[in-house]
Amino acid sequence: MSQVNEQTIGHVHRDDEATRIGMWLFLFTELLLFGGLFIAYAVYRYLHPHEFMMAGKELNSFLGALNTVILLTSSLTMALSIAAIQRNKKNLSIFLQVLTLILALGFLINKSFEWSIKFSHGIYPGSETLLAKGSGEILFYGLYYTMTGLHAIHVVIGMIIIGVMTLFTIKGTINSGNNVRLESAGLYWHLVDLIWIFLFPLFYLIL
Amino acid sequence: MSSDSSHNVSYLDYKGRWKGKITSWIFSTDHKKIGVLYLFSMLILFSIGVLFGFLMRLELIAPGKTIMEPQMYNSIFTLHGIIMIFMFIIPGLPAIFGNFFLPLLIGAKDVAFPRLNLLSWWLFMFGSLLAILSVFLPGGPVDTGWTFYVPYSVRSTTNVFPALIAAFILGFSSILTGLNFITTIHRMRVQGMTWFRMPLFVWSLYATSWIQILATPIIGITLLLVVMERAFNIGIFDPSLGGDPVLFQHLFWIYSHPAVYVMIIPAMGIISEIIPVFARRTIFGYKFIAFSSIAIALMGSLVWAHHMFTVGMSPTAMIIFSVLTFLVAIPSAIKVFNWVATLYKGSIQLDPPMLYALGFIFLFSIGGFTGLIQGALSVNIHIHDTSFIVAHFHYVMFGGTGFGIFAALHYWFPKMFAKSYNMKTAKFSFWTLFFGFNVLYFPMFVMGWLGMPRRYYDYLPEYHIYHFISTIGSWIVVIALVAMFANFIVALRKKEKFTEENPWGGETLEWKTSTPPPLENFDIEPVVDSHPYEYKMNEPDQDLLKEEGTK
Ligand SMILES: [Cu+2]
C-alpha cells in the first residue's frame, strides 16, 4: 500500500497560471468588498456635501500624505523583492521583504497616532462630542473609521502573508524557479496600496 | 502491489496519510470526499430547516396561539430562512455536486486548488455551527428575518451578532468555492474538452461561480456594516444618526437577488444533464442553454430593486427595474422551451431522476410566472409582503432548486456511493412530495392574493381554511422526505456493491469511469472528440423509417 501513497504524493500538480487566475479573482472580490463602502461614501457625500467638507478639513493631511508615501515605497520594495528572487538573489530578496514589513509597520504606527489624536479630542463613533455634531459629520467619521479600519486590517493580513513568504524564502521553498506564491503576495500587497490610494483623496484631499 | 492496480483504488477506500475513518474524510483534499462531506452536512442542516418550517406551519394551523409564543415564532421563521437559504439552497448544488462532478465532467483529476477546497468546507462548517450555536446563547435566537433589515437588526436584543458573523463566514466559503471552480474550468479541462463540448452543468457552474464572486462581497460588507453599527454606532444605517435604512436594502438586494440565480442556475444545469439522458436525445439548443446561463447572470445583477417597490423610490427607477425584471424571464424561458423541445419525440424513461426533472420544470414554471406577476409595478403594491410572495419563492427555491438537488441525488447517488436505491420507494416519495408540495404552497398564493401578510403570527378567521390545508400539506411533505431519506440510508447500509459504470446510459465523462470513481477519477485519461449528448445511435434510423413508409 505504501507504494500507492508514494505515487499519489509524488504526483504534485502545480500550475502557476492557475494560481495567478485564482489570485486575480480573489483581488477582484476584495475590491468589491470595499466597493460597497465606496457606494455608501458616495451616497452620503452627495447628501451632505458641506458637512463632509468641514469634517475632512479636520483630518491631518500631513500624516495622511506621509502614510501614502510609506505605502507606495513598500509596494516598490515588494515588487523589487520579486524581481530579486527571479534573478536568484536570495539575500537581496529577503532584505527587501523585511524592508516592506518595516514600512508596513510604520504605516500602522502612523495610523494609530492619527486615530489616537482624534480619540483624545473625543471624536470616535458614538462619542458625545461627535453625536453633538450634524449627521453629515457623524457619517463622515463613521465611514472614516470603518474604511481606514478595514484597510488597516488588510495591512495586518498582508504583513502576515509577507512574513510567511519571507520564511519560505529563507527556507528556500520560494526560489528563482518557484516564486508564484511570492508574486501572489505581492499582488495582494499592491491591492492594499491601491485601496489606500483611493481612501487618501476621499478623506483628506477632496475638500 | 503493482503500480497498475494502485490506480484502481476507489476514492471511498483510499485513506492517504490518515489512519482513522473520520480523519481520512474531514482532512481529505479529494474533491469527491469533500462533495460527500458537504452532502451529509447539508442534509442535516436541511432537516433542521424542515423541522423549523414544520413547527411554523403547525403554529399557523389555527388562529391564535397553538404551540408557541410570538417571539418564538419570529425566531423560528428567521432560523428557517437563514438555514435554508445560506446553508442549503445557495451553496447546495455547487458545493455538493459541483465539487464531486465538476472535475469528473471535464476529465480532470481534481479541482485547481484542492486545499482551498477543504478550507471552504471547514469555513462552511464553522459558519453553520456558529449560527446553530447562536440559538442556545443567552439573548435568544435571532428574530429579524433572514433579511436582517435595519433598523430592527440594529435594535433587536437577540443574538443578531453571531448570526451576522455566521452569514459572513458562509459567504467567504462560497467565494472561495466560486474562485476555485472558475480556475478549474479555465485550466483543467482534459484534452479535446473545448468550451462548447463542456456538459451544460459545467456551464451553469461557471455562470454561478461568477455571480458568487461578483455579488457575495457586497453582502459581506453590508453585514459587516450592520455588525459595526451594533458594536460602535457608526450611523451608516441608523436613521437617528442620519443613516439611511433604504441604502441597506439596496446593498442587501444587490447581492441577494443575484443569489437567487446562484440557487437556480446550477439546478437548471442538472436538469439539462438529466433530460437528454432519459429522453435518449441530444439536447436541443445547446448553445442557447449555455449562453442563457450567462445572460441570466448578467441581467440578474441589474434587477435587485424589484424587492423594494414599496420603499418610495423614484418612479423612473421603478419602471426601469420592472422592465429589466420582465426581460430576465426571457433566458429562463429559453431554457424551458429547449428542455421541452428535447423531450419532443424522445423515448422518455420515467426513472426517479427524470421524475424530479419534470417536477422541476412544472413547479419552476409556476414559480417563474408568478414572479412576473410580482414584477408588475401596480400588482406588486397589492401583493407586497403577503404570503403570495412566500408561495412564489418556495415554488422557485424548493420546487426549483430543491427538486433539482433531489434530481441530482437520484441521478448520481449510484455513482457516488456504489450502492443502488429502491426504485419503487423513490417513485413513491417523488409523487408524495410533488402532491404534498402543492397542497402546502398553493393555498399561500390564494390567501396572499386575498391579503394574508407574510411572517404574521396570527390571522383573521377568513384565512383559516387556507392555513389549515397548507399545514396538512406540510405533513405530507415531511412524510415524503422521510421516505426519500430512509431509502438512501437503507441503500447506503446495503452490503452488496453496485459497480455498473453507466446505469442510466449517460454520455458524459463521469459515466466512463468505474463505480465508485478511482482516487484520481480516471484510470486512463479520457480524450474528448465529440459533443456531450450524442445519442445518434439510439435515434431511429431515418433510412429504415423511409423504407417502412414506402411499404
Ligand atoms: Cu429578486
Side-chain angles (χ1 to χ4, degrees):
Chain A
M1 214 51 188
S2 65
Q3 212 182 354
V4 181
N5 288 357
E6 274 168 23
Q7 266 212 335
T8 30
I9 291 165
H11 174 86
V12 179
H13 174 85
R14 193 180 131 217
D15 181 355
D16 288 354
E17 194 55 37
T19 311
R20 273 181 212 116
I21 293 176
M23 196 61 204
W24 277 105
L25 289 172
F26 180 70
L27 296 182
F28 208 28
T29 68
E30 286 276 17
L31 274 183
L32 285 161
L33 186 79
F34 278 91
L37 287 168
F38 285 121
I39 291 175
Y41 178 94
V43 169
Y44 290 129
R45 177 156 201 124
Y46 174 77
L47 291 174
H48 310 276
H50 187 65
E51 285 178 314
F52 263 56
M53 199 184 81
M54 299 276 289
K57 274 186 181 155
E58 277 175 35
L59 291 181
N60 189 331
S61 54
F62 172 72
L63 289 181
L66 183 64
N67 255 352
T68 310
V69 174
I70 292 176
L71 215 51
L72 278 173
T73 315
S74 77
S75 248
L76 176 68
T77 54
M78 188 69 207
L80 289 175
S81 82
I82 299 165
I85 199 77
Q86 281 165 350
R87 283 161 185 73
N88 214 358
K89 290 177 182 161
K90 181 177 167 181
N91 287 337
L92 179 64
S93 177
I94 294 169
F95 169 74
L96 286 164
Q97 288 175 48
V98 173
L99 198 60
T100 313
L101 284 174
I102 292 170
L103 287 167
L105 194 65
F107 176 91
L108 286 179
I109 291 169
N110 195 4
K111 192 86 240 162
S112 68
F113 259 133
E114 220 187 318
W115 274 31
S116 52
I117 293 168
K118 279 277 163 292
F119 271 56
S120 67
H121 292 155
I123 295 179
Y124 52 90
S127 73
E128 274 175 44
T129 328
L130 188 59
L131 290 183
K133 296 182 183 241
S135 56
E137 280 177 78
I138 297 175
L139 290 169
F140 179 89
Y141 281 107
L143 284 166
Y144 167 75
Y145 280 110
T146 311
M147 292 172 87
T148 56
L150 190 64
H151 178 260
I153 291 173
H154 278 76
V155 172
V156 173
I157 296 171
M159 287 174 72
I160 294 170
I161 296 172
I162 296 171
V164 174
M165 293 307 135
T166 314
L167 291 180
F168 282 160
T169 318
I170 292 169
K171 258 174 60 186
T173 48
I174 289 180
N175 51 49
S176 59
N178 181 1
N179 50 46
V180 71
R181 280 173 295 174
L182 186 64
E183 206 185 307
S184 301
L187 282 176
Y188 186 82
W189 193 247
H190 298 323
L191 175 93
V192 171
D193 192 9
L194 180 78
I195 290 168
W196 178 256
I197 298 294
F198 280 93
L199 292 182
F200 175 59
L202 285 183
F203 286 109
Y204 298 83
L205 296 184
I206 311 176
L207 297 175
Chain B
M1 210 178 250
S2 75
S3 60
D4 258 341
S5 61
S6 71
H7 277 289
N8 291 327
V9 58
S10 144
Y11 87 98
L12 289 165
D13 300 329
Y14 180 75
K15 284 212 171 95
R17 58 198 171 108
W18 304 100
K19 296 286 162 271
K21 199 170 169 87
I22 293 175
T23 46
S24 73
W25 278 90
I26 62 174
F27 296 121
S28 168
T29 55
D30 179 2
H31 68 100
K32 299 184 283 305
K33 284 198 166 179
I34 292 172
V36 174
L37 285 175
Y38 271 118
L39 173 67
F40 284 105
S41 29
M42 281 180 184
L43 286 184
I44 291 168
L45 288 160
F46 172 73
S47 306
I48 298 173
V50 170
L51 176 71
F52 285 141
F54 173 79
L55 291 173
M56 207 194 313
R57 277 313 325 163
L58 202 56
E59 168 56 42
L60 291 173
I61 194 170
K65 187 191 162 195
T66 315
I67 54 163
M68 62 179 93
E69 298 296 329
Q71 178 62 33
M72 195 45 160
Y73 177 80
N74 288 349
S75 295
I76 284 200
F77 77 64
T78 303
L79 289 165
H80 172 76
I82 291 178
I83 291 175
M84 287 303 202
I85 291 179
F86 290 118
M87 299 167 205
F88 183 65
I89 293 285
I90 291 184
L93 277 166
I96 302 170
F97 299 105
N99 260 317
F100 199 107
F101 287 101
L102 167 62
L104 280 164
L105 286 168
I106 59 173
K109 288 191 168 114
D110 206 315
V111 291
F113 310 112
R115 277 182 293 181
L116 195 68
N117 205 12
L118 181 64
L119 176 69
S120 309
W121 180 75
W122 276 97
L123 285 173
F124 174 80
M125 287 314 283
F126 183 62
S128 303
L129 289 178
L130 189 63
I132 302 288
L133 200 67
S134 77
V135 176
F136 303 106
L137 292 174
V142 52
D143 64 346
T144 58
W146 77 275
T147 46
F148 298 112
Y149 267 23
V150 291
Y152 183 65
S153 59
V154 177
R155 303 274 154 71
S156 169
T157 54
T158 56
N159 294 324
V160 182
F161 199 84
L164 286 169
I165 300 289
F168 182 82
I169 295 171
L170 291 169
F172 196 53
S173 158
S174 119
I175 286 179
L176 294 181
T177 303
L179 180 159
N180 214 339
F181 285 180
I182 292 179
T183 314
T184 306
I185 295 170
H186 272 281
R187 296 294 302 170
M188 317 253 313
R189 280 172 288 127
V190 78
Q191 202 195 339
M193 179 66 74
T194 58
W195 282 88
F196 292 112
R197 284 183 190 162
M198 293 196 314
L200 287 162
F201 182 53
V202 177
W203 269 104
S204 74
L205 284 175
Y206 188 69
T208 307
S209 301
W210 273 108
I211 309 175
Q212 278 174 313
I213 283 192
L214 293 176
T216 318
I218 309 288
I219 188 113
I221 195 66
T222 311
L223 297 179
L224 273 189
L225 282 173
V226 180
V227 169
M228 295 290 284
E229 193 73 65
R230 281 181 76 90
F232 305 113
N233 293 314
I234 51 169
I236 289 174
F237 294 141
D238 191 342
S240 67
L241 298 174
D244 187 356
V246 176
L247 181 64
F248 170 87
Q249 295 188 21
H250 277 293
L251 290 172
F252 181 84
W253 288 113
I254 284 178
Y255 163 75
S256 295
H257 184 81
V260 168
Y261 296 116
V262 172
M263 309 175 202
I264 199 69
I265 291 178
M268 292 167 157
I270 297 281
I271 303 309
S272 310
E273 294 298 322
I274 291 176
I275 298 266
V277 174
F278 292 88
R280 317 300 313 159
R281 285 200 66 200
T282 306
I283 191 96
F284 186 87
Y286 170 92
K287 280 194 185 176
F288 275 95
I289 296 185
F291 282 122
S292 63
S293 289
I294 309 288
I296 291 176
L298 291 175
M299 289 158 75
S301 54
L302 299 171
V303 299
W304 74 86
H306 63 209
H307 297 266
M308 303 163 57
F309 283 154
T310 56
V311 300
M313 280 183 297
S314 83
T316 324
M318 282 169 49
I319 289 168
I320 292 171
F321 279 112
S322 178
V323 170
L324 287 171
T325 302
F326 286 140
L327 288 182
V328 84
I330 294 173
S332 301
I334 286 177
K335 286 184 195 266
V336 173
F337 286 128
N338 279 314
W339 294 326
V340 175
T342 308
L343 290 171
Y344 179 67
K345 283 191 176 171
S347 68
I348 295 170
Q349 200 144 12
L350 287 178
D351 288 321
M354 186 62 164
L355 285 175
Y356 278 101
L358 295 176
F360 171 100
I361 296 180
F362 183 80
L363 299 174
F364 174 75
S365 299
I366 295 180
F369 278 125
T370 50
L372 284 177
I373 295 175
Q374 285 153 220
L377 284 174
S378 52
V379 188
N380 185 281
I381 308 286
H382 175 66
I383 53 175
H384 200 92
D385 259 347
T386 67
S387 61
F388 190 91
I389 310 289
V390 181
H392 156 73
F393 67 68
H394 279 91
Y395 266 85
V396 182
M397 303 288 77
F398 186 3
T401 312
F403 273 58
I405 291 175
F406 297 147
L409 198 53
H410 284 88
Y411 182 52
W412 280 323
F413 182 91
K415 180 56 89 179
M416 295 170 84
F417 298 103
K419 298 283 163 71
S420 63
Y421 55 81
N422 184 308
M423 289 286 184
K424 273 192 186 142
T425 319
K427 284 181 187 173
F428 164 81
S429 56
F430 168 78
W431 286 112
T432 319
L433 184 63
F434 186 77
F435 175 69
F437 178 94
N438 286 294
V439 177
L440 167 56
Y441 296 113
F442 202 82
M444 292 188 191
F445 278 128
V446 183
M447 62 177 148
W449 193 260
L450 297 174
M452 174 70 211
R454 70 191 279 204
R455 289 181 174 174
Y456 272 32
Y457 171 73
D458 202 358
Y459 50 85
L460 295 169
E462 51 260 46
Y463 297 118
H464 186 193
I465 179 69
Y466 306 110
H467 278 292
F468 184 76
I469 297 172
S470 176
T471 302
I472 303 287
S474 75
W475 301 343
I476 305 173
V477 165
V478 168
I479 291 170
L481 291 173
V482 168
M484 186 203 299
F485 289 166
N487 193 16
F488 285 129
I489 291 168
V490 169
L492 282 177
R493 297 178 66 97
K494 262 195 223 166
K495 282 258 152 48
E496 57 190 291
K497 287 239 180 217
F498 177 84
T499 51
E500 208 176 308
E501 258 180 33
N502 193 356
W504 311 117
E507 290 286 315
T508 37
L509 287 180
E510 83 273 35
W511 305 114
K512 293 183 178 155
T513 185
S514 47
T515 300
L519 181 66
E520 292 196 325
N521 293 347
F522 298 95
D523 293 334
I524 306 153
E525 197 168 85
V527 178
V528 180
D529 54 9
S530 65
H531 284 272
Y533 312 101
E534 298 280 355
Y535 287 104
K536 286 204 184 79
M537 302 287 288
N538 302 301
E539 271 175 21
D541 194 323
Q542 292 299 324
D543 298 333
L544 239 162
L545 279 180
K546 265 181 208 158
E547 268 176 39
E548 271 178 25
T550 49
K551 275 178 198 171

